[in-house]
Amino acid sequence: MTMKDNRFINMLHTARKEGYAVGAFNIFNDLTLRGVITAANEAGRPIIIQTSAGTVKRLGAEALGGMVNAARSLCTQEIALHLDHCKDDTIAKACVDHGWDAIMCDYSTLPLEENIARTQAMIAYAHAKGVAVEGEVGAIFGVEEDVVAEKEHPATYEDTMHYVHATGIDAIAPAIGTAHGMYKGSPKINWELIERLGKEATPLVVHGGTGLSDETFRRMVELGAAKINISTAIKYAYRDAIVAAIPNHPVDSPMELDKKVEAEVHATVLRLIKLFAGIE
Ligand code: 13P
């Protein structure tokens, strides 16, 4: 595969051109995968399916990549498979080697120049195989499985553009004031930074989508956000469906329970795909 054919990059640039954002949803098993795919089918929009490095470690890059590739036949829309926050180069390279469309290398805890040098090395590896790379500048607050940032380190326009130009990154996730996990208060979003970066050529990625208001999403898309990440909301949908169904659930019909979980994930994701696409 060449970079010109890269699904992840083409999807984000098309979304920018057409004024919507692509939803990027973290899946962790077949039920969440199916819930996301059926939602994309119903909304009629392409999607990014992403997994944490922890999920790759648990299931294996080859098996997980194979599972998503096989599921493409169930989806009427384009799917790009992406590795979310990865600090472990061995895992990132395994995904590059097993047919993933994109990886996020997260060296955000390092000083900027080291972040740039590590990113450049990963881009050289990934681009040689036609795989796109997303990078982070500043540090996004919160917990995303085993990636923990106890303090936000806000990104600046200057640092972000220096990183973008020095690396040639395919998509950029600066710390704009959003956070992973559930918000405890209202996030202090750096709208000026979003507006400036939204006008640049490199697609802008919003992390920490769970818990942001519909109005916030609409404004982000309007200002140029190209990819919006959702993880925690899927975990809640999954857990809540199980908790609601379990008390009266007959032990001999696990597939009925699976259907309820899948339906809850589907509903959560469908609402968000439509919102990011401006489909009311
Ligand atoms: P949430 O868990 O807050 O939805 O954030 C998802 C995310 O940004 C994944 O990288």
Side-chain angles (χ1 to χ4, degrees):
M1 221 208 304
T2 66
M3 294 311 295
K4 204 165 66 56
D5 306 320
N6 186 278
R7 295 185 185 104
F8 179 89
I9 295 177
N10 292 339
M11 209 180 265
L12 295 185
H13 284 279
T14 303
R16 292 267 327 261
K17 236 187 288 157
E18 296 182 8
Y20 66 91
V22 181
F25 300 98
N26 287 55
I27 61 119
F28 44 88
N29 60 14
D30 60 324
L31 291 184
T32 45
L33 173 62
R34 285 179 59 93
V36 173
I37 283 179
T38 56
N41 285 345
E42 193 173 332
R45 281 290 185 278
I47 36 157
I48 293 168
I49 287 180
Q50 53 188 26
T51 76
S52 68
T55 304
V56 176
K57 228 192 268 178
R58 193 169 77 79
L59 300 177
E62 190 169 4
L64 195 49
M67 183 171 109
V68 175
N69 274 328
R72 288 183 200 277
S73 64
L74 304 174
C75 196
T76 56
Q77 305 300 311
E78 180 105 282
I79 295 174
L81 174 59
H82 178 60
L83 171 66
D84 197 18
H85 296 273
C86 189
K87 293 179 183 295
D88 181 332
D89 291 355
T90 308
I91 293 177
K93 286 181 177 172
C95 290
V96 169
D97 294 343
H98 286 104
W100 297 51
D101 300 295
I103 56 166
M104 176 186 191
C105 57
D106 176 353
Y107 308 124
S108 58
T109 51
L110 300 176
L112 185 60
E113 293 307 322
E114 271 179 67
N115 182 354
I116 288 173
R118 293 277 300 274
T119 304
Q120 284 168 335
M122 191 51 75
I123 287 180
Y125 188 87
H127 279 192
K129 300 190 178 195
V131 175
V133 180
E134 175 183 329
E136 178 170 333
V137 173
I140 299 163
F141 175 73
V143 179
E144 193 57 51
E145 301 203 353
D146 45 1
V147 176
V148 180
E150 283 166 4
K151 218 169 147 283
E152 188 194 19
H153 174 54
T156 63
Y157 178 78
E158 290 70 25
D159 281 358
T160 308
M161 292 315 295
H162 173 50
Y163 176 94
V164 164
H165 289 136
T167 59
I169 199 83
D170 302 301
I172 183 69
I176 52 170
T178 55
H180 296 124
M182 282 295 179
Y183 290 93
K184 296 218 168 66
S186 312
K188 285 206 170 38
I189 293 170
N190 187 342
W191 290 108
E192 191 198 328
L193 183 60
I194 296 175
E195 185 163 16
R196 289 182 80 185
L197 292 172
K199 294 191 176 109
E200 299 289 341
T202 306
L204 177 64
V205 181
V206 174
H207 281 247
T210 300
L212 296 177
S213 69
D214 290 5
E215 200 36 54
T216 300
F217 283 131
R218 285 194 196 98
R219 190 165 168 208
M220 284 174 165
V221 175
E222 213 176 282
L223 294 179
K227 169 178 181 265
I228 301 179
N229 287 6
I230 302 287
S231 174
T232 303
I234 294 177
K235 293 174 185 160
Y236 271 80
Y238 191 91
R239 196 273 316 261
D240 292 350
I242 293 174
V243 168
I246 280 285
N248 304 312
H249 196 76
V251 77
D252 61 348
S253 60
M255 272 196 281
E256 290 308 310
L257 183 60
D258 283 0
K259 280 187 205 161
K260 288 185 176 141
V261 172
E262 195 182 309
E264 195 63 35
V265 171
H266 169 98
T268 301
V269 171
L270 177 61
R271 193 187 88 75
L272 291 167
I273 298 178
K274 284 182 163 176
L275 182 64
F276 303 160
I279 305 169
E280 297 300 335

